[in-house]
Amino acid sequence: MSRDILGQISGEDWIKKGGLDVPDDIFNALDSPFDWFDSLKPINFSRGNLPTLENILDSFPETEIGDIVKASSLEMLRTSYGINKCFNSKAHINLTGKGNQIATSLKLKTRDRQIYYAAVQANNFFLNMNLLNKQLSSSSYNGQMGEVSIYQKVKESEIKNKDWLQSLVEKIQDEAVKILEPLLEQLQEKKDYIPEQVISGIKFVREKVLEESAKFYIDVEQTLQQIKNDFAEGIKALKEKALDAFIADMRELRKKIFNPAIKDFRTFIRKANKLLSFIKNEKYKNDSVGDYTVSSSFSTAIVPVASPNVIDVINVVNAIASGILQTFILKGVAIPTQLAEALTKTVTSIVLKGLNASGSEAVRYIAGDVLRGAKDLLPAVFNNTGMFAGVWGFLTSCAPYIIAAAVIIIIAIKLSQKSDIGNWITLLAIGDNKNQEPDTVFARLFGDVQEKLKDLGKLKEDLLQETGKIYENVYAFSFDGDARKLCVDMSLAVPVPMKDEIATQLWTEFSTKFDFLIQQ
C-alpha cells in the first residue's frame, strides 16, 4: 500500500495536482522515518518525563517504528486529500450522516473486534490517559513544534499557493501570447486585404494580456468579438469589390488559422481569469484565517461494551486520539476547538487505516463535515483545476502533530494486541532495604486483562491494609506455567506496564536473592 501511495507524490505535489504541496515534514519523515519521529518535541519530551509513553515507544525496534512512521506519513497525505474531497462534495449535504451511514453498513470483522478491545486496553493501561493527564497538568510543557505556530504555517500555505497561482497565470499568459504571435505574422503577410482594425485589435489584446493592470481580470472578450466582426466586415468588403480570389484566401485563413487561434486564446484567458479570481480572494488580503485560540480537554478511562460494532471501534480510537492530542500533543498549542476536532478525526482515520480496521472512509466524511463548520478558518488554497484545497492546506500544515499522535496510538494498540497478563501472579512489595526479603502475594487470576488489572489493584490494596507498611516499589509478575507474561509496576497510584528487559532484570535479581521465588 505504501509503495502505491508513494508513487502519487510528483515532485513537490500530490497526485500531480499543482497546488497540493507536500510539506517538508513529510519528505523528512520518508527520508529518515525513525530519526524524524524521535526528534519531534512530544516524543523527545516523553523520554525521561512520561514513563508510560516511554515504555510504549521502547517496546518496538527502531526499524518497526520507522515503518509505522513512513506508512502513517503517506496515509496522512491520502487521508487529507480524501477529507478535502468530502468537504467539496456536492453529492452529500450532510457529511456526518453519510459517514454514519457507511459505518453502520459495515460488518464487524474479527480483526475489528480484536482492535476494539486492544484499543480499550491501550487507553486505560498502556497509554493510561488519567496518569498522563496528571503528569502533564503539573508540567509547563507546551506542544507547539518549532518556532512557527499552526496559524502561521497555515497562513504560509495560503501565501505559497497565491505565489504559485500567480506564476501559473503568468505561464498561461505567455502561452496565450504565443498563440497570437504566429497569427499576427499571418495577418501582416496579407495586410493588403486584411482590415487594419483586425491587426491592431490583435496587437491590443496581446498588450492587454501582459499589462500589470490586468492582474485580477483580463478583460479582452469584447475586443475579441470586435476583431471577429471586423474580420467578417473585411470579407464583406472584398465581396463588394468582387475580389473573389482574396475572399477564398480570407475564408481559408479564418477557418484554419484565425478562428482556431482565437478559440485557443479564449480558453487560456478564461483559465487565467479563473485562477486570478482565486488570487483576488479576500482571504489573501485580510487576516480572515484569524489567530487561533487555545482549547484543551482530556479523556478518562474507557468502559468497553459487551458487543461492539464498527461505530464502537471508530469511537474508541477517536476517544484515544482526542485524549492524546488534547492532553499532550496539542497542550498549550493555539488552535480553535473545531479545527482541533478535525485533527482528531484525521488521526482516527489514519490509525484505523494503519491497523487495517474498518471505518476509515466513514471518518473522512465526518471530518469533512467538521471542517465545513469551520470553513472561514481554512486557508484560501486551490489546485490547478480550481478545486478548493483549503482542507489540504490546513491538515498538511499540521503534519507533525497528526503523525506524532497517529504513530503513538498505533504503537500502543499493537503493543496491547500482543500483551497479556498471565493467570499466575507473584506480587512483590519492596521496602527501603532491597536486600530484605519482600512481602509477597501469590494468586491466581481469571478473566480478561481489564478484570485482571482490577484484581491486581485489589491484591495490592489488601496487602497494604494487612501490613500497614509503606513500600518503595510494588511489582506484579505474571506467568502462564513457566512462561512469564506481561509484568506490571504497581508502585504508583496507577499500574504501569514494564518493559520486557526491565521485568527480566528485576525477576532475575529477586529470584537470585530469594530462593523461595524459584520454588513457586
Side-chain angles (χ1 to χ4, degrees), residues 121-416:
Q121 178 175 294
N123 179 85
N124 297 348
F125 182 44
F126 290 101
L127 285 168
N128 205 323
M129 297 306 300
N130 280 327
L131 175 61
L132 189 63
N133 181 65
K134 290 177 183 177
Q135 292 170 328
L136 286 164
S137 61
S138 60
S139 166
S140 59
Y141 175 79
N142 183 293
Q144 179 174 308
M145 298 192 207
E147 298 180 359
V148 180
S149 68
I150 288 179
Y151 163 72
Q152 289 170 313
K153 291 187 77 170
V154 173
K155 194 67 180 176
E156 284 173 5
S157 75
E158 190 178 61
I159 294 170
K160 184 177 181 181
N161 184 252
K162 172 188 175 182
D163 292 341
W164 172 79
L165 284 172
Q166 185 63 53
S167 67
L168 186 59
V169 168
E170 289 169 1
K171 288 180 182 178
I172 293 172
Q173 287 174 306
D174 288 342
E175 291 298 320
V177 169
K178 285 179 183 178
I179 290 175
L180 297 182
E181 295 297 347
L183 176 60
L184 267 175
E185 289 180 11
Q186 294 265 6
L187 294 176
Q188 286 174 333
E189 286 177 4
K190 306 178 187 301
K191 62 181 179 180
D192 290 340
Y193 54 89
I194 295 290
E196 175 58 31
Q197 301 96 308
V198 172
I199 296 175
S200 62
I202 295 294
K203 289 180 179 179
F204 172 81
V205 167
R206 180 184 61 184
E207 296 306 315
K208 184 76 172 176
V209 170
L210 297 175
E211 278 181 8
E212 184 62 26
S213 60
K215 188 173 181 181
F216 292 124
Y217 188 73
I218 303 171
D219 187 8
V220 294
E221 188 57 38
Q222 284 187 336
T223 305
L224 289 176
Q225 189 57 52
Q226 185 59 51
I227 291 170
K228 293 189 75 173
N229 292 340
D230 290 340
F231 200 101
E233 287 296 323
I235 294 177
K236 185 178 178 182
L238 291 175
K239 280 184 178 179
E240 291 173 355
K241 296 176 182 178
L243 298 173
D244 294 343
F246 292 130
I247 293 173
D249 197 13
M250 281 275 283
R251 284 175 174 168
E252 184 76 4
L253 177 65
R254 181 170 63 177
K255 179 180 178 181
K256 294 187 176 180
I257 306 295
F258 182 80
N259 283 348
I262 296 299
K263 180 181 178 182
D264 291 344
F265 178 79
R266 271 181 167 149
T267 300
F268 276 114
I269 296 306
R270 286 167 184 165
K271 186 174 182 180
N273 280 335
K274 185 177 182 181
L275 295 176
L276 285 168
S277 69
F278 299 146
I279 297 173
K280 192 179 180 181
N281 191 299
E282 286 301 306
K283 286 191 177 183
Y284 285 130
K285 290 187 173 183
N286 306 323
D287 285 335
S288 57
V289 173
D291 284 322
Y292 294 160
T293 56
V294 178
S295 60
S296 63
S297 64
F298 69 93
S299 65
T300 56
I302 297 172
V303 179
V305 298
S307 301
N309 54 33
V310 171
I311 292 179
D312 293 317
V313 177
I314 292 172
N315 287 342
V316 73
V317 173
N318 190 77
I320 298 172
S322 178
I324 201 73
L325 282 167
Q326 302 300 328
T327 303
F328 181 35
I329 305 295
L330 294 176
K331 183 177 186 290
V333 175
I335 184 170
T337 301
Q338 283 177 294
L339 294 185
E341 184 182 352
L343 293 190
T344 297
K345 303 300 183 190
T346 304
V347 170
T348 299
S349 182
I350 293 170
V351 170
L352 290 170
K353 197 70 176 181
L355 295 170
N356 196 25
S358 303
S360 61
E361 182 188 2
V363 179
R364 291 181 187 180
Y365 280 96
I366 298 171
D369 207 17
V370 172
L371 288 168
R372 277 185 177 178
K375 61 184 179 180
D376 291 337
L377 295 171
L378 298 175
V381 174
F382 302 86
N383 76 351
N384 58 354
T385 65
M387 179 189 78
F388 177 72
V391 170
W392 171 274
F394 165 67
L395 292 177
T396 54
S397 295
C398 300
Y401 302 89
I402 294 171
I403 296 169
V407 171
I408 289 173
I409 297 169
I410 290 172
I411 291 174
I413 294 176
K414 282 180 174 285
L415 177 60
S416 180

Side-chain angles (χ1 to χ4, degrees), residues 435-482:
N435 291 318
Q436 183 178 344
E437 186 174 297
D439 290 331
T440 310
V441 177
F442 298 102
R444 186 179 184 185
L445 303 182
F446 298 93
D448 59 24
V449 172
Q450 298 300 315
E451 293 170 321
K452 289 177 181 177
L453 285 173
K454 184 178 179 180
D455 289 341
L456 281 178
K458 185 69 167 58
L459 287 175
K460 175 186 172 182
E461 182 182 334
D462 291 346
L463 176 65
L464 294 176
Q465 287 182 351
E466 182 179 333
T467 65
K469 296 180 181 179
I470 297 176
Y471 298 101
E472 186 172 334
N473 297 104
V474 179
Y475 302 116
F477 296 88
S478 75
F479 300 86
D480 275 342
D482 293 332

